[in-house]
Amino acid sequence: MTDTTDDIAEEISFQSFDDDCKLLGSLLNDVLQREVGSNFMEKVERNRVLAQSACTMRASGIEDTAELLEKQLISEISDMTLEEAFTLARAFSHYLNLMGIAETHHRLRKAQNMAHMSRSCDDIFNQLLQSGVSPEELYNAVCKQEVEIVLTAHPTQINRRTLQYKHIRIAHLLDYNDRPDLGYEDREMLIEDLVREITSIWQTDELRRQKPTAVDEARAGLNIVEQSLWRAVPHYLRRVSNALKKHTGKSLPLTCTPIKFGSWMGGDRDGNPNVTAEVTREVALLSRWMAFDLYIREVDSLRFELSMNRCSDSLSRLAHEIIEKETSSVDRSESWNEPLNRSQSKTYSQSGAALPSKLPEGAYLPSCTVHASATMEFLLVLTNAKLYAQTGTYPVDFKDHWGLHCKLTVIFVHSQHFTGSICFECKDGESKYPKLERPGTGYMPLNRQDGKAASSSNTLFQDSDKNLCITYGNGTVANSSYSPSASTPRTVSFSSGQLLSQRKLFAESQMGRSSFKKLLEPSLPQRPGIAPYRIVLGNVKDKLMKTQRRLELLLEDLPCEHDARDYYETADELLEPLLMCYESLQSSGSGVLADGRLADLIRRVATFRMVLMKLDLRQESARHAETLDAITSYLDMGIYSEWDEEKKLDFLSRELKGKRPLVPPTIKVAADVREVLDTFRVAAMLGSDSFGAYVISMASNASDVLAVELLQKDARLAVSGELGRPCSGGALRVVPLFETVKDLRGAGAVIRKLLSIDWYREHIIKNHNGHQEVMVGYSDSGKDAGRFTAAWELYKAQEDVVAACNEYGIKVTLFHGRGGSIGRGGGPTYLAIQSQPPGSVMGTLRSTEQGEMVQAKFGLPQTAVRQLEVYTTAVLLATMRPPLPPREEKWRNLMEEISKISCQSYTSTVYENPEFLAYFQEATPQAELGFLNIGSRPTRRKSSTGIGHLRAIPWVFAWTQTRFVLPVWLGVGSGLKGVCEKGHKEDLIAMYKEWPFFQSTIDLIEMVLGKADIPIAKLYDEVLVSPSRQELGAELRRELMTTEKYVLAVTGHEKLSQNNRILRRLIESRLPFLNPMNMLQVEILKRLRRDDDNAKLRDALLITINGIAAGMRNTG
């Protein structure tokens, strides 16, 4: 299951949970009866009953009978045809997914019905006050808290987005089914809706047929914001504010945001060649575009709501200033091709009447290839060109009008909002078409040599005989021409019927938009009075829309020179009029309105700013060294990577103090190096307004950090010189990521070395408010040395980093690169934060949420609200009442000994046993995981087949599929056994009871052991592993049993998960479907390895992988 058990609710009503599981199961049965027939459904039910009976026998201790039933089930599965196995896998996979939906729904329902929710803001604020914290201290701590949740695209989300949405729809229907006022007919309709959703799910392909791109992954992250976080954030902040008001007498300030969001989607290029500088730029701009799109919707809703006239004097003055400005600009140049809005005094019909009623004489002369039959046809061609520029499609085919269409397309591709004049010229210079000019514009025809012509990207339309001149409002002229060629997109035809169709299409596309806009925005003379809030918010909307249009042009790499006063650059600019409206409502006695939708919008702007989620950039340290190698070699300075650390630091420090760029603009470098330089250039152009941190993976030295600082400084100098002004936004924070055990042990020394360098320390104080950020990685350290050793090394590294920063008076924020599964550092959020070293969480925290956990924790607004609240309360408690350190030095020594034995046992098996790699490849579906298409990045950093270069996700994922979950427990049993045999068992029991870190480490291991299944793991070995390697599997199973024995000895539990009865019950409820899925997977793997080109077999295997992931509620 997902590791959110303790974060959602402590209890679950199993009666109602079982009822919903039965409802969904019976509906799926009904659907399958229609889809696959009753004969096959009898087989499905027989397999389920056999599995259920075997589980019951095993739980009762009747092992022999359980084994007989399991053998019967395995025999029946092995006799199935491929089509039957495929269908059975799909059926059980959907059963498990539906059970997961019901489980999540009932956790939420239990949480909503609990009068006192533990770990809520109300609960923790009360605890702190009872423990002696003053109300003022509590208030200040909450207001100063800085938590950032960073969403990543790590490939662990196995469900297609289409199916995720369908699952969300079922969850909403279950929620609706809980309503006590639901009538008989309503309930019948709800059942029909559920049947439709389940039918739709069954008829949908579960498998991704192609890998997502990096931009696709970023869009998925933005969808989480739109579908869930956008609604959850205001609700969460209201909870915090209400609890503060209750316990301290003061509400949370409107613009105070204890939690913000970041993203790696589109910025994480470590080992992923698909994330390029251009992709990063596109994702950053796309994120800004979506932010403005969401703000425009909210402002529109606010304008409906705030219809009152009573306001403060300052808001009234602002509204009158806006009206006066609009009135004075009525006759100024506007984009005549757009529907008119309230700022325009002339109606569309009036503008249209000013056009000539017929074409000038000689319009049909062959010297010009542009043809039109009448003014209306001219306008329709113009409209067609505009629609093409906006949508990329042609509403109506044009033949005789193709030349004019192409010319006008150039206009709208360059600027869909140009103001000025249009003049069509033939080669003799005489105008043959209507000259359209808005009052107040001057037109001066310029030729191409003037330097202000259209972009060369439009050479398709160039013709020396004919030119189309466009004069923009700022005096810029774009010339375009057209000549038929083989590159013309397509041959088109044109008829009067198509013309009527075009007119109708255009009218219908504009009718609703125009009439609705007129309803919202009556012209000035029609206003019965001044609605000041609507005037101000209308102005806000206009500015938002202009900013959004500018982003569209940037995304298309088109010219977009606009007056900076016409669009929003910072969140503070957007907040200013909103806060003025809020203060006006409060001062006018309408506080109840101010604290509604308007307050929610202000809180959203304060949280999401202009980008929704700031994008982190991540690259491996070796790539920066390669870049500096190229630069120093070009400058005849030697090869950077061959220098020792001191020489590197001397060089980097000297260059950082200088004011000139290091990289010559004419330098020619390899493609990989150019990509690194281009990334820094994008970062310089967009700055810290769009980007968060630059994370250096595999960091091991101080020079790794200074190298990035130098490349960043150089790029900013170059871009600033080109722009003729300073770069927008500030420099990015540079964050070293310590991942391997070796690097974790040296993390404190690296930070001390950095802070001892005068330039760097002054840079941190001046540009980053005296704040150093350090990231620690959980995945690779766990794969290196095992989960237990990794946990202890991470604990010590954090202690050392905090001490190093304290020595220099620098504040520190620790960034936790936690995975979703426990094998990669995952676990319940509250437990994880509460087990950190004392002093490591001082009101600040960054943490990743990866892959499947993003959807699990934030996919629904209700779960998102709870997760955000848990983050807030856990960080607050860890700050004001830090967890206890080890009571005595002896405990630390015991941890060292356990870690040493555990690490030795783990590495001797994984890295030193020559048979282990082959065993791993035979006993798990690791090699087949690549066909899942669940991520844009490769499964390996390098082409080597060894475990060292295998990413942590497929490493954990593969063992989770076989229910062996080896990466979590391997070595732990040996470590605990070694210490207990030396007479320290009582010390370990005391450590478990009194030391939060040790307790959480053991509890997480126990949780995973409760999900492991020795008989299932043994089945994989017996069927798939070569006889010569089966003894290795037997040894590992004995090690698993040893681990279970000593974990129970330390915790004092009689059986696994004794302290988490809910988890044990939920796992048991899934086994009748999960066990047959594993048996199916073994059978399909056996067949596939004999016929590896069989696409149908491969699909069946991928279905079993999906189903087991749903049953385990974990992937990697």
Side-chain angles (χ1 to χ4, degrees), residues 831-832 834-835 992 995-1005:
L831 186 63
Q834 283 299 295
S835 60
Y992 178 77
W995 188 11
F997 164 72
F998 186 73
Q999 183 185 72
S1000 69
T1001 302
I1002 296 297
D1003 281 348
L1004 290 174
I1005 292 169

Side-chain angles (χ1 to χ4, degrees), residues 340-457:
L340 296 184
N341 55 33
R342 60 181 170 77
S343 66
Q344 294 172 304
S345 62
K346 294 187 177 182
T347 64
Y348 185 90
S349 60
Q350 289 171 330
S351 297
L355 296 175
S357 59
K358 64 179 181 179
L359 291 176
E361 185 180 355
Y364 295 97
L365 292 176
S367 58
C368 265
T369 58
V370 181
H371 300 282
S373 60
T375 301
M376 182 55 69
E377 279 65 25
F378 172 84
L379 292 175
L380 288 171
V381 177
L382 179 79
T383 300
N384 191 66
K386 179 182 178 184
L387 290 175
Y388 169 75
Q390 292 174 334
T391 66
T393 60
Y394 303 98
V396 171
D397 289 338
F398 285 84
K399 180 180 180 182
D400 295 332
H401 303 71
W402 181 249
L404 175 58
H405 163 77
C406 291
K407 288 175 176 287
L408 293 174
T409 298
V410 176
I411 300 174
F412 295 113
V413 167
H414 273 282
S415 174
Q416 297 177 25
H417 331 290
F418 75 94
T419 60
S421 61
I422 301 177
C423 178
F424 299 96
E425 297 180 332
C426 292
K427 63 182 179 181
D428 59 0
E430 181 182 353
S431 176
K432 302 297 183 183
Y433 289 93
K435 180 176 180 180
L436 309 179
E437 294 186 330
R438 298 287 295 172
T441 63
Y443 170 66
M444 296 259 323
L446 298 174
N447 58 30
R448 292 185 180 276
Q449 282 70 38
D450 288 342
K452 296 183 180 180
S455 167
S456 61
S457 61

